[in-house]
């Protein structure tokens, strides 16, 4: 009976479909003005030879374990997983930095919680590894969302940003996306590839061998 009803519904066009994120986004009164200012900052940075625009964001913690999570894998022999997805202790937090104009993506994995210090420490690690390629850069324009740990109202985040700027002799411009519009942050396009914890773990396994 159940299969018969399913067949009837399918013929009528009522098929199982993925939910699409297509509802209108929320807006605040300042949304358009914020976008106008953001586009202005981005354009000015892209036209300046001594300015580098990057996009940053962190993702949810990744469990490091042999859990199945109901996933599938196309292979000759089934991948073995733990009998129970319990007792997971080891976790990693991905922090991504996208160099917007070149498309170069750096992902730093940390064992701490997503905090203001973790974000700025990750940025410092990235700059230490890449500043040799940018001896002419005097300004960093950072595209980011207004999350709880990198908000312009987060005292520790702004304090660490000032310390970062002073230490590296850089002008830092924080270019925030409006509330409810973080999906337009360029790095979000990169996270699509690593959208699930399973895919991220596969990516991590490639990095670690």
């Amino acid at each position: 009976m159940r299969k018969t009803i399913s067949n009837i519904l399918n013929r009528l066009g009522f098929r199982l479909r993925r939910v699409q994120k297509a509802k209108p986004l929320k807006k605040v009164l300042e949304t358009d003005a914020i976008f106008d200012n953001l586009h202005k900052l981005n354009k000015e940075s892209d036209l300046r030879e001594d300015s580098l625009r990057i996009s940053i964001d962190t993702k949810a913690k990744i469990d490091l374990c042999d859990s199945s999570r109901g996933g599938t894998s196309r292979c000759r022999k089934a991948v073995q997983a733990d009998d129970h997805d319990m007792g997971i202790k080891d976790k990693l937090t991905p922090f991504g930095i996208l160099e917007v104009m070149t498309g170069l993506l750096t992902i730093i994995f940390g064992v701490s919680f997503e905090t203001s210090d973790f974000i700025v420490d990750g940025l410092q690690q990235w700059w230490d590894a890449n500043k040799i390629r940018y001896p002419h850069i005097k300004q960093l324009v950072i595209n980011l969302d207004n999350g709880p740990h990198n908000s312009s109202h987060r005292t520790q985040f702004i304090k660490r940003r000032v310390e970062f700027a002073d230490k590296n002799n850089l002008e830092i411009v924080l270019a925030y996306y409006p509330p409810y519009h973080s999906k337009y942050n360029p790095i979000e396009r990169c996270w699509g590839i690593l959208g699930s914890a399973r895919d991220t773990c596969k990516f991590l396994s490639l990095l670690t061998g």
Side-chain angles (χ1 to χ4, degrees):
M1 176 64 73
R2 181 177 178 181
K3 186 175 182 180
T4 300
I5 294 176
S6 296
N7 290 335
I8 294 173
L9 290 173
N10 287 339
R11 288 199 299 270
L12 293 174
F14 294 97
R15 298 180 178 276
L16 290 175
R17 306 177 191 277
R18 286 183 174 273
V19 175
Q20 295 182 346
K21 296 182 179 180
K23 290 186 177 180
L25 295 169
K26 295 181 181 179
K27 291 184 67 173
V28 296
L29 293 176
E30 299 84 1
T31 293
D32 292 336
I34 294 174
F35 265 122
D36 289 343
N37 182 63
L38 180 68
H39 293 154
K40 177 176 178 292
L41 292 174
N42 288 346
K43 184 176 181 179
E44 290 176 350
S45 172
D46 296 344
L47 292 175
R48 277 183 55 172
E49 293 184 358
D50 63 346
S51 179
L52 176 64
R53 181 160 66 97
I54 62 175
S55 172
I56 67 172
D57 190 25
T58 57
K59 298 301 285 184
K61 278 179 173 277
I62 303 167
D63 295 330
L64 296 182
C65 59
D66 292 326
S67 300
S68 68
R69 301 184 185 87
T72 59
S73 179
R74 186 178 298 278
C75 51
R76 296 182 181 275
K77 185 179 179 181
V79 177
Q80 299 295 306
D82 292 338
D83 185 52
H84 291 82
D85 298 350
M86 299 169 59
I88 301 167
K89 295 182 179 180
D90 296 326
K91 299 176 182 287
L92 291 179
T93 302
F95 172 55
I97 303 172
L98 173 67
E99 298 172 33
V100 179
M101 296 300 289
T102 64
L104 181 62
L105 174 66
T106 301
I107 300 180
I108 297 172
F109 292 91
V111 296
S112 75
F113 290 100
E114 178 191 350
T115 64
S116 300
D117 291 323
F118 168 70
I119 294 172
V120 180
D121 287 344
L123 186 66
Q124 183 64 60
Q125 182 178 339
W126 165 81
W127 182 247
D128 288 341
N130 290 276
K131 62 184 178 182
I132 191 173
R133 298 192 293 115
Y134 298 114
H136 60 292
I137 293 299
K138 302 299 182 184
Q139 180 193 69
L140 274 184
V141 173
I142 305 176
N143 291 157
L144 68 172
D145 59 39
N146 226 322
H149 303 294
N150 58 5
S151 168
S152 58
H153 299 294
R154 188 81 172 196
T155 304
Q156 181 65 8
F157 179 70
I158 298 302
K159 173 179 177 292
R160 290 297 311 277
R161 276 285 184 249
V162 173
E163 293 173 350
F164 174 85
D166 291 342
K167 177 180 179 179
N168 299 287
N169 194 28
L170 290 170
E171 175 191 354
I172 305 297
V173 179
L174 300 178
Y176 286 98
Y177 279 82
Y180 312 111
H181 291 73
S182 60
K183 62 181 287 186
Y184 293 104
N185 194 1
I187 197 171
E188 292 295 337
R189 305 167 195 168
C190 303
W191 291 132
I193 303 173
L194 309 172
S196 68
R198 181 188 64 193
D199 292 336
T200 307
C201 286
K202 288 181 179 178
F203 178 75
L204 179 59
S205 68
L206 292 175
L207 292 179
T208 60

